[in-house]
Amino acid sequence: MQYDLIIKGGMIVDGSGGTPYPGDVGVIGGRIANIGRVSAPARRVIDADGLMVTPGFVDGHTHMDAQVFWDPLGSSSCYHGVTTAIMGNCGFTLAPCAARDADFVFRNLERAEDLSRDAMLAGIDWRWETFPEFLDVVDALPKGINYGGYIGHSALRTWVMGERAFSEQATAEDLARMSAQLQAAMHAGAIGFSTSRTYNHLTSDDRPVASRVADWDEVRALVMAMGDTGAGIFEIASETPGRKPERQRDYFERLISLTVESGRPLTFGMFSTRIAPEVWRPFYEVANEAARAGGRIFVQAHSRHLSTLLSFLTHTPFDHWEIWRELRAKPLVEQKVLLRDPVWKQRLVDIANRPYDGPAIVGAEARPPEWDWVWLVNDYGVEQRMDEVARERGVDPVTAMIDIALERDFNVFFRQPLANEDQGHVLEMMRHPRSVVTFSDSGAHVAQIMDSSLQTHLLSHWVREQQAFTFEEAIRLITYDTATAWGLHDRGLVRVGMNADLLVIDPATLSPLMPTVEHDLPAGAKRLVQKSRGIHATIVNGELMLDNGVPTGALPGRLARGPLARRH
């Protein structure tokens, strides 16, 4: 017998949470064929002596729907050990939609997910209308990692209703057409159905995205239609009931009723926030309530702060303010000249120190800074609070931000937390029995946040530095637990017969690197990119895709279709 690949001499951390053990892993035809002492010949041998061999990571919350068309690798997720990504979250998908109506999809995505319209126009070869046709196109694309996808409510609504989707309730005929397409999507391999009810999601012209216009009866009818197929997960960007107990109770009862009556699992992400630190725990407790009632809810927990990264190369908090608008519209070279001009600089500082009186800030957009909650990022994980930096320099924080940016030729980030400020809350969320550790949002907010390193942060910070989890406990959180939650039962474990999605890791050196700003999107649009160190090999479907973080040229990724398609 000849193997396609043998990983020799590593300590196997198999994803179950069990004790690591030494052994070789032999791969044939994209699947794990043998575990133990494997001595037969192989086309490729990877020496894992002194290293850990783990399943590839599964990320249940990404927005790679557009990026998959122009980025075969799947960056930055691939650089952090993710071998399977679930896209189409929050109701935002590219299908169903005919090419002639692509503007409806762009309107939903452009602001809510910070995806450049020019990049989407230049980078997407539109060859579908229905969701089953879209899945076939994605299936045929060259891909470095694996993808599964939801059908999104906003796209579904605009496909049926057109412009009415942004202002009207659905008619019975509209709802029947949506339900039929949703069920067709499930039979073609959709992972489930997703929607958004959050006020954070607005169109580029400041209107609610299409799914937010729908009433709850429409949402319920669509989830029940999915339930009739016997498959699928319902993902929701949650309503925001605030601190009023009666509004929160009403929302939770609707969620519990929906999962019980439809028979389908329901999931959402939930963060802590310092302005309302008591709000998050009931969103986790409702998962326990649902289980007692006979339903299933699982909550997506993040592994760190959710933060906007501020930079003169991307966004500052003041880009839309008086005078700043004029500055930020100029080429970067001219901006540096003006920032060094004492008159220009003083005007900018004066304006930035005024109270903010502009429109409401939503989502991951930069917001007026509270300088004791903004950090200068000197290296990944090495930070200084900006109010303290300013005091050390004897200037106000705005002046300090400008001076530091000029000193570093704009190659510097300032981190502005949006949520999960209390890391004790983060740890409690990750340890909750009905949570899954995911929600990188990769592919969205591309020049605003960078959370593709969620998994490597978990392993470097919470395992190695804080010792809050053992390595094997943390690996289970991002492999077996996430794969099982999304019904991907052929991955997430190092077991004979499983997909050969595997990593070779050095736990002693594993860590995210500093993000960089790149202009590598179609039409030259910018984004944040982050790599890591310590992952020696990333293997997807039995092929070495990244060798010490460097692409090998192999693109072995596949479409992970849902259970109805797999049965045929």
Side-chain angles (χ1 to χ4, degrees), residues 31-93:
R31 294 196 173 272
I32 299 171
N34 198 358
I35 302 170
R37 180 167 293 180
V38 183
S39 57
R43 293 186 180 92
R44 183 191 292 270
V45 176
I46 295 175
D47 181 6
D49 183 44
L51 304 172
M52 300 291 193
V53 180
T54 78
F57 305 152
V58 177
D59 191 336
H61 195 117
T62 79
H63 293 274
M64 306 286 275
D65 309 64
Q67 185 176 326
V68 70
F69 286 91
W70 58 71
D71 174 19
L73 287 180
S75 60
S76 296
S77 292
C78 67
Y79 297 129
H80 300 275
V82 171
T83 56
T84 300
I86 305 300
M87 58 188 184
N89 284 271
C90 307
F92 300 129
T93 55

Side-chain angles (χ1 to χ4, degrees), residues 44 60 119 128 214 285 288 350 388 409 463 498 504 521 555:
R44 183 191 292 270
W128 65 86
E285 176 56 32
N288 291 328
D350 290 345
E388 296 173 350
D409 198 31
V463 173
M498 289 286 198
V504 179
L521 298 185
L555 296 172

Side-chain angles (χ1 to χ4, degrees), residues 3 227 300 338 340 479:
Y3 290 90
Q300 299 170 36
L338 292 175
R340 289 188 173 96
T479 58

Side-chain angles (χ1 to χ4, degrees), residues 259-294:
T259 183
V260 171
E261 293 176 19
S262 69
R264 304 316 310 153
L266 186 157
T267 186
F268 52 81
M270 190 61 199
F271 305 93
S272 168
T273 175
R274 64 188 172 90
I275 62 172
E278 76 285 358
V279 167
W280 69 270
R281 282 192 182 90
F283 278 80
Y284 283 73
E285 176 56 32
V286 74
N288 291 328
E289 287 188 60
R292 291 192 290 268

Side-chain angles (χ1 to χ4, degrees), residues 384-398:
Q384 295 174 275
R385 221 172 67 190
M386 276 301 292
D387 63 328
E388 296 173 350
V389 171
R391 278 197 296 273
E392 289 173 4
R393 287 173 169 251
V395 296
D396 70 277
V398 181

Side-chain angles (χ1 to χ4, degrees), residues 309-336 338-339 344 348 366 401-402 405 410 412 447 517 519 526:
L309 290 180
L310 307 173
S311 167
F312 279 89
L313 297 178
T314 54
H315 304 284
T316 80
F318 314 112
D319 289 354
H320 302 293
W321 294 27
E322 180 187 353
I323 306 298
W324 283 84
R325 284 192 300 271
E326 184 180 347
L327 172 82
R328 298 291 285 150
K330 297 178 182 295
L332 292 176
V333 172
E334 293 183 30
Q335 290 185 43
K336 293 172 187 176
L338 292 175
L339 287 169
W344 260 87
L348 292 165
M401 183 188 76
I402 293 172
F410 284 1
V412 62
V517 179
H519 289 78
K526 62 180 175 286

